[in-house]
Amino acid sequence: MDRARRLGVVAAVLLLGIGVLPVQASVAAPAAQPCVADQPGGPVWVDASCVDPDYDQPVIDHESDVTDPIALHKVQGHFKGTSIRFTIYLPPAAQWQGRFYQYVYPTQSENALPVDVAFGAAHGGYTVQATGAPGYRHEAATAKFSRQVAAAYYGVSAKNIFGYVYGGSGGSYVTVGAIENTSGVWQGAVPFVAAIPTTIPNSWSAAALGGFVLGDKLAKVADAVAPGGSGDPYTVLDSTQRAVLHEVTSLGMPLRSWERYNYVIATSTLRALSSIIKAFDPTYVDDFWNKPGYLGAEASDLGRRFRAARATGTATVEGVARDASGKVSSLTLSGVPAGARTLGMDFSVTAADGSALGPLTGSLDAATGVLAPAADASADVLSKVQAGDKVAFDNSWFLALHAYHRYQVPQRAGYYPWDQFRTADGTPRYPQRALEIGPLIAAGTAGGGTHTGRINTKTILVQNLLDTGALPWNADWYRSQVRAALGKNYQDSFRLWYNDNAEHLNGPVAPADQAKIIQYDGIYYQALVDVAAWAEKGVAPPGTTNYTVSDSQIIVPKTATNRLGIQPVADLRVCGGDRAQVRVGRTVDFTATVQVPPGAGKIVRVEWDFDGDGSYAVARTGTPRSALALHASHSFAKAGTYFPAVRVTAQRDGDTTEKYTLAQNLGRARVVVSATGSGCAP
């Protein structure tokens, strides 16, 4: 592209931009209609022609030709009077096929990930990304303006450019808000790991409750649900633990997810949410510990366990340690009970003269009395603290949040996991808080939307079966909303694909976890390619995954032919079963049977990880095909318990060079190696 045309993009956009049209001198331009809500207090409706009054002045700040991550023309700008910035990544005209892809997330920057940009260009699209913020309106304004930029750059009509929006987790809120409250802005959408109005904070309170009560039995639970385990973790638990495991499982926490219990019970998200709950519901903590009907005051074994774990008191600062720069690195306290449960504790500091210095965030080791300030700890408080000051500690709020889901039974019908908290006449068994916080967070993040199911684009929802944040049943619930809103022909616009052996986080999987979970980005990339073909050419994508719901658990068929979706299915057998006990040094026989759902592609890669440590070796499979069986053997030099894995990768066209639209899955088994094992072969 020559220099004159590059610089001309700015001028053309200023003429073609939102609300600014080129006109003949003697003809007045029709005024663009503002985007407004359909009803008072409702979300703003955005169509292809209205102008959002909050985002009506896009400004291009800079244009450049870059080569990283690929050769493209980069346009950067902002909306005047707002904090929203945007970046448009335009591949060469010969590579572009008339579409764009737009990733959304409420806290992202305007800088798209290189892999997203490269995927977009490889599949005929430019990429556009805006600064994250609650709602869809700034995303819609960015999408519409990007069309004007692209139209000027490529010399086409903006009306002929197709757009596709996608986002996961918090980004699924934005995506759903976008496709339910706009028309003509995007033609397709891929929400993934979808959260719904009951997700926050309930998924994390349920996980915390399970982690707290299962405690020292977590390893046994993990063993039971791991490949080759008993499959019944309840047999290793006492009655209180069984009741709690059933409670969180019935809320939709995937039972198999407890194999990676350290991930499930990580409490950083719940701690981050605590400030929101405190602001919305400040009296909850006192009610939890004192009022009838709440767990903290309940005359039950579970209630007693909570009260025993509660730790409140005041400690004295005995010493203040500082690093080389003079910054406080730790406080040494006296007066902390040695066995106190310190996870999630709140701290506040009072000077020796009784004056309040303020709250402090950090982690306390009860055994040593050492308090390490958090990265976000108040610099002002730390600068003033000294020996002799008092530190109040209290885990009352954090413990109380472990059961918050019990007091958030939804009033809206259809949330079946909460049926366990209702009596026979449908009323809640426990006292309920004045506010349902989940719907407030969901509506705020989605831009005022309430997950009506009234979608206005071709949509493929991608959900994962081991997700403990956006629980698998969330997608089934949203599917029911779409079905109710669109009627019996809803599948003309909607698909739901479930993926096994995948959890919440997208992006590369840590090496230590690669034998247990897959990277699922390729599946939502393929979904984007499929919604584009659906919207532009009427090519229907592979069907919705077949599944059943049992006690809020999503159950999928064992074979790819019956399961559908697009994920391949791998069945790994060791000595003919899912578990074998073998002798050190003896040869072990493995068989992997692999299938791809009908119309979903071909196997392009199979990899073996016999030790289950995430180190894979590629197997020879020959010409890509939709089904295959492989045999291998391996011997184990050391005693121990191993979880071998076979990782399979499918691609729609059987293209072994494709980098992005790859669908993975695992087959796993267990091998117990000892000096006295038998072995599968002599």
Side-chain angles (χ1 to χ4, degrees):
M1 183 179 189
D2 60 50
R3 178 178 175 82
R5 187 178 174 192
R6 285 202 307 271
L7 295 176
V9 171
V10 175
V13 167
L14 291 176
L15 291 175
L16 295 174
I18 298 173
V20 183
L21 301 174
V23 297
Q24 296 178 1
S26 60
V27 180
Q33 295 297 312
C35 304
V36 297
D38 284 344
Q39 57 187 2
V44 171
W45 178 259
V46 180
D47 61 26
S49 60
C50 72
V51 174
D52 192 317
D54 288 351
Y55 306 100
D56 60 349
Q57 298 185 62
V59 178
I60 291 178
D61 299 316
H62 183 68
E63 294 188 66
S64 59
D65 290 325
V66 300
T67 57
D68 185 21
I70 57 173
L72 49 83
H73 187 67
K74 186 175 178 180
V75 179
Q76 297 166 284
H78 71 281
F79 287 97
K80 187 176 180 180
T82 78
S83 61
I84 301 301
R85 303 190 61 79
F86 56 80
T87 308
I88 306 167
Y89 303 83
L90 300 160
Q95 194 173 356
W96 186 63
Q97 297 173 12
R99 65 183 69 98
F100 69 85
Y101 301 103
Q102 184 172 359
Y103 182 77
V104 296
Y105 192 78
T107 60
Q108 69 185 9
S109 77
E110 70 276 13
N111 301 308
L113 291 176
V115 66
D116 289 342
V117 175
F119 155 76
H123 290 276
Y126 70 81
T127 294
V128 57
Q129 185 160 309
T131 309
Y136 56 89
R137 291 169 56 189
H138 68 291
E139 299 288 2
T142 300
K144 291 162 72 172
F145 184 64
S146 80
R147 276 191 170 92
Q148 307 302 327
V149 173
Y153 185 78
Y154 294 117
V156 300
S157 170
K159 295 180 179 180
N160 296 329
I161 298 175
F162 292 83
Y164 304 98
V165 61
Y166 67 112
S169 189
S172 77
Y173 283 140
V174 179
T175 304
V176 169
I179 62 180
E180 290 185 351
N181 298 290
T182 71
S183 176
V185 178
W186 298 281
Q187 285 65 52
V190 178
F192 60 92
V193 294
I196 60 174
T198 58
T199 297
I200 300 173
N202 301 305
S203 293
W204 287 274
S205 70
L209 177 64
F212 168 63
V213 178
L214 298 182
D216 60 0
K217 299 288 184 64
L218 283 166
K220 291 184 178 179
V221 171
D223 183 77
V225 301
S230 69
D232 184 4
Y234 291 93
T235 60
V236 303
L237 305 176
D238 62 36
S239 60
T240 297
Q241 292 170 325
R242 288 195 296 271
V244 167
L245 180 58
H246 182 264
E247 176 177 326
V248 300
T249 301
S250 296
L251 276 171
M253 191 67 59
L255 190 61
R256 289 191 297 123
S257 68
W258 290 104
E259 183 186 1
R260 298 174 65 240
Y261 62 85
N262 285 326
Y263 172 77
V264 176
I265 66 174
T267 58
S268 57
T269 300
L270 185 62
R271 281 182 278 172
L273 291 169
S274 65
S275 60
I276 297 174
I277 300 172
K278 290 176 183 178
F280 276 126
D281 196 359
T283 64
Y284 170 67
V285 66
D286 290 332
D287 293 346
F288 177 84
W289 293 107
N290 297 294
K291 286 191 175 181
Y294 288 91
L295 181 55
E298 187 176 274
S300 66
D301 180 61
L302 183 56
R304 286 188 288 273
R305 295 188 191 201
F306 267 79
R307 289 189 292 277
R310 189 180 185 188
T312 63
T314 302
T316 301
V317 178
E318 299 293 344
V320 180
R322 301 179 183 275
D323 60 21
S325 67
K327 184 178 179 180
V328 174
S329 58
S330 67
L331 305 176
T332 301
L333 310 180
S334 64
V336 179
R341 181 178 174 84
T342 61
L343 187 63
M345 268 187 169
D346 294 318
F347 304 99
S348 61
V349 185
T350 302
D353 63 6
S355 60
L357 298 184
L360 186 65
T361 57
S363 57
L364 175 63
D365 183 338
T368 63
V370 174
L371 172 59
D376 63 351
S378 169
D380 182 59
V381 172
L382 290 173
S383 68
K384 297 175 182 177
V385 68
Q386 57 187 345
D389 290 348
K390 302 293 184 180
V391 176
F393 56 88
D394 190 348
N395 65 358
S396 299
W397 255 108
F398 185 65
L399 279 174
L401 292 178
H402 285 47
Y404 199 70
H405 54 273
R406 290 187 172 191
Y407 319 110
Q408 292 279 290
V409 175
Q411 296 183 34
R412 181 175 175 179
Y415 293 114
Y416 48 82
W418 269 263
D419 289 346
Q420 63 180 308
F421 301 133
R422 300 182 191 275
T423 62
D425 65 3
T427 58
R429 289 168 48 198
Y430 303 113
Q432 297 298 297
R433 307 308 297 168
L435 291 176
E436 289 182 45
I437 291 180
L440 294 175
I441 293 174
T445 310
T450 55
H451 286 71
T452 64
R454 290 192 292 271
I455 61 175
N456 298 290
T457 67
K458 301 295 187 184
T459 301
I460 300 177
L461 172 53
V462 175
Q463 201 80 352
N464 297 334
L465 292 176
L466 294 184
D467 195 338
T468 60
L471 300 175
W473 72 271
N474 292 0
D476 172 64
W477 177 85
Y478 190 66
R479 181 190 183 191
S480 73
Q481 305 308 298
V482 175
R483 182 169 52 232
L486 302 188
K488 63 180 181 180
N489 295 324
Y490 78 101
Q491 293 192 84
D492 291 344
S493 299
F494 183 82
R495 293 287 190 274
L496 165 55
W497 293 344
Y498 275 114
N499 304 304
D500 201 6
N501 298 305
E503 45 98 325
H504 192 72
L505 300 177
N506 57 328
V509 175
D513 289 328
Q514 288 186 15
K516 296 179 180 178
I517 57 175
I518 61 157
Q519 181 175 352
Y520 64 90
D521 304 45
I523 295 173
Y524 64 71
Y525 282 148
Q526 182 62 57
L528 285 166
V529 172
D530 282 350
V531 294
W534 204 3
E536 296 170 24
K537 301 176 182 178
V539 178
T544 287
T545 302
N546 281 326
Y547 64 91
T548 57
V549 184
S550 177
D551 197 22
S552 304
Q553 298 286 296
I554 301 298
I555 311 299
V556 296
K558 293 184 179 297
T559 66
T561 302
N562 294 326
R563 187 178 300 186
L564 301 183
I566 70 166
Q567 189 185 34
V569 176
D571 180 40
L572 179 62
R573 295 286 153 175
V574 52
C575 302
D578 64 357
R579 178 182 180 124
Q581 293 181 287
V582 304
R583 188 178 301 174
V584 173
R586 288 290 184 93
T587 300
V588 182
D589 296 325
F590 293 90
T591 300
T593 304
V594 183
Q595 289 181 306
V596 181
K602 299 177 181 179
I603 300 296
V604 294
R605 188 180 306 119
V606 176
E607 302 163 281
W608 294 102
D609 175 13
F610 295 111
D611 292 330
D613 60 3
S615 299
Y616 284 94
V618 177
R620 293 185 179 181
T621 59
T623 302
R625 50 192 184 275
S626 60
L628 56 87
L630 293 95
H631 300 273
S633 60
H634 182 74
S635 62
F636 296 87
K638 296 181 180 180
T641 299
Y642 298 84
F643 291 94
V646 59
R647 184 167 64 189
V648 299
T649 303
Q651 201 279 327
R652 178 65 52 81
D653 302 314
D655 184 352
T656 58
T657 65
E658 167 67 20
K659 298 178 181 179
Y660 308 107
T661 58
L662 303 175
Q664 291 186 343
N665 204 352
L666 298 176
R668 301 178 63 211
R670 180 188 307 220
V671 178
V672 180
V673 181
S674 67
T676 58
S678 58
C680 301

